[in-house]
Amino acid sequence: MEAFFEVKRPDEVFELIQGFQPVGEETIPMESGLGRVLSRDLTALEDLPPFLRSTMDGYAVKAKATFGATESLPALFEIIQEVKMGTASPGILSEGQAAKIPTGGMLPQGADSVVMEEYCDLLDEHTLEVSRSVSPLENVIQPGDDLKKGNVFLNRGHRLRPQDLGAMAGLGILNVPVFQRPRVALISTGDEIVPPEHPPGPGQVRDINRYTLAALCRRLGAVPVHMGICADRFQDLKDGVETALKEADTLWISGGSSVGTRDLTLKVFETLPDFTLLVHGISISPGKPTIIGLAGSQPVIGLPGHVASALVIAEVFMTRLISRLGGEEKRKSALGRTVEAQLSRNIESASGREDYVRVRLTRERGKLIADPIFGKSGLISTLVEADGLLRIHMNTEGCYQGEKVRVIPFDSCGGGLE
């Protein structure tokens, strides 16, 4: 019987992680901000646009002068000027006067609306006939309609998207305050682990976890810090952990396929100053033998050594950890990004734990089908074949064929399931 001292339910682990604090702040050029997380609210320091702007090609007029205009009784206007893009029109437009204006042009002073070209006819070079009335500010963007001076337009904790950078550019915001990207130190442990470039000898395997975990970090905007492979010896691991915590904001040790190695990881953690054990086992499969603690304010994580277990724990819990350390407020971790599918076969589950089953997603007759992929937690192939994870709640004994289920899709690089 394995000894776990602080076994937590998944929801309890989520709550613990939510209490972790973001890393520091920095200011970066706006054009480098894509994917970064704001560390402060951004306020518009000017109106966008800063002037009355036409949304149509047509004629700028005083709306009042068009009231009652119809095809049988059109309103007549004197064309006094043509608005040029990027310039302010001279003079003031009086009632009964019009100015030809392009989309995006600045309305002349005195004009308050734009009549679309479709409702205008030229009687001669200077005389305009309008066959439809317009209301004040019709076909016009007012100053501040897009972004208003003094208003917060992006909140702290928001991950920046292309359109957000566009808004900043429009307001002349050239530098942006963001949270630093969390640095994640990765240590792979095990006497049997060798680097991928080394042919494995008898009883040895290549290091897989370093690369899956590092890729997950990069996908989420964190910076993986490779600390190498560490043998299953107390002092070696202790030295590696102490060095890693000087280099990074959080430490993840992947290893501990055996009970003895898990005990070694915890013993090393317990030597750290101000260490607090938060989790020693999660009621989840795969991935129960997971350790979460704090060394001062730095999260230290002991992940399972089996590759499927390590990546499932990373997808379910470490995504949320990186979001918290990176200051992101809205991300709900993997559990907040699900798609509905129909289960292709029965799945049994033990009550009292949450199961995360690898599934393949296909479409049949317009329906999304989730097909379970079964395999031991040491197999990377089950993850390669899978499109996501099916979460089976801890108080159920499984799911049935044909049942509608929610699947957590693995994030892809620039793509998704059609």
Side-chain angles (χ1 to χ4, degrees), residues 15-221:
E15 187 173 347
L16 285 170
I17 291 173
Q18 199 63 24
F20 293 161
Q21 296 304 307
V23 296
E25 298 178 59
E26 61 181 338
T27 299
I28 63 172
M30 171 270 291
E31 59 187 309
S32 301
L34 183 64
R36 301 298 297 272
V37 178
L38 284 178
S39 59
R40 302 180 190 180
D41 291 347
L42 286 189
T43 301
L45 300 180
E46 58 188 61
D47 284 332
L48 185 68
F51 53 85
L52 285 171
R53 191 177 188 191
S54 175
T55 63
M56 298 286 178
D57 290 341
Y59 291 86
V61 298
K62 283 183 179 291
K64 183 179 178 181
T66 69
F67 291 171
T70 64
E71 289 187 9
S72 58
L73 189 62
L76 297 178
F77 291 85
E78 177 191 4
I79 303 172
I80 64 167
Q81 59 179 278
E82 181 175 350
V83 174
K84 302 296 184 183
M85 291 296 291
T87 62
S89 299
I92 300 175
L93 203 70
S94 300
E95 191 169 329
Q97 294 180 327
K100 185 173 176 58
I101 191 168
T103 300
M106 179 179 178
L107 266 68
Q109 190 175 352
D112 63 2
S113 60
V114 172
V115 183
M116 294 172 59
E117 281 190 341
E118 290 87 328
Y119 303 108
C120 299
D121 287 304
L122 289 173
L123 297 183
D124 57 45
E125 187 178 350
H126 299 291
T127 308
L128 177 72
E129 191 176 73
V130 173
S131 60
R132 179 186 179 277
S133 65
V134 291
S135 56
L137 301 178
E138 188 169 340
N139 301 321
V140 171
I141 297 176
Q142 298 183 73
D145 264 359
D146 203 353
L147 296 170
K148 193 166 187 62
K149 181 179 179 179
N151 285 359
V152 172
F153 67 98
L154 289 173
N155 294 108
R156 178 184 189 271
H158 175 75
R159 189 175 292 276
L160 294 171
R161 306 162 299 170
Q163 57 265 46
D164 303 324
L165 303 189
M168 285 186 272
L171 291 168
I173 298 174
L174 303 182
N175 297 295
V176 56
V178 296
F179 288 106
Q180 293 173 357
R181 296 171 65 192
R183 293 174 59 82
V184 181
L186 300 173
I187 295 178
S188 298
T189 64
D191 294 329
E192 78 283 11
I193 305 297
V194 297
E197 61 271 20
H198 291 181
Q204 294 182 324
V205 293
R206 291 187 175 95
D207 186 6
I208 292 177
N209 287 342
R210 162 185 165 174
Y211 296 91
T212 57
L213 296 173
L216 179 135
C217 289
R218 284 191 292 268
R219 190 188 81 201
L220 297 170

Side-chain angles (χ1 to χ4, degrees), residues 322-342:
I322 289 176
S323 293
R324 284 300 302 148
L325 296 181
E328 192 171 13
E329 294 290 341
K330 292 184 179 179
R331 188 178 179 90
K332 300 299 184 184
S333 86
L335 300 184
R337 298 172 285 111
T338 63
V339 296
E340 185 177 80
Q342 186 172 307

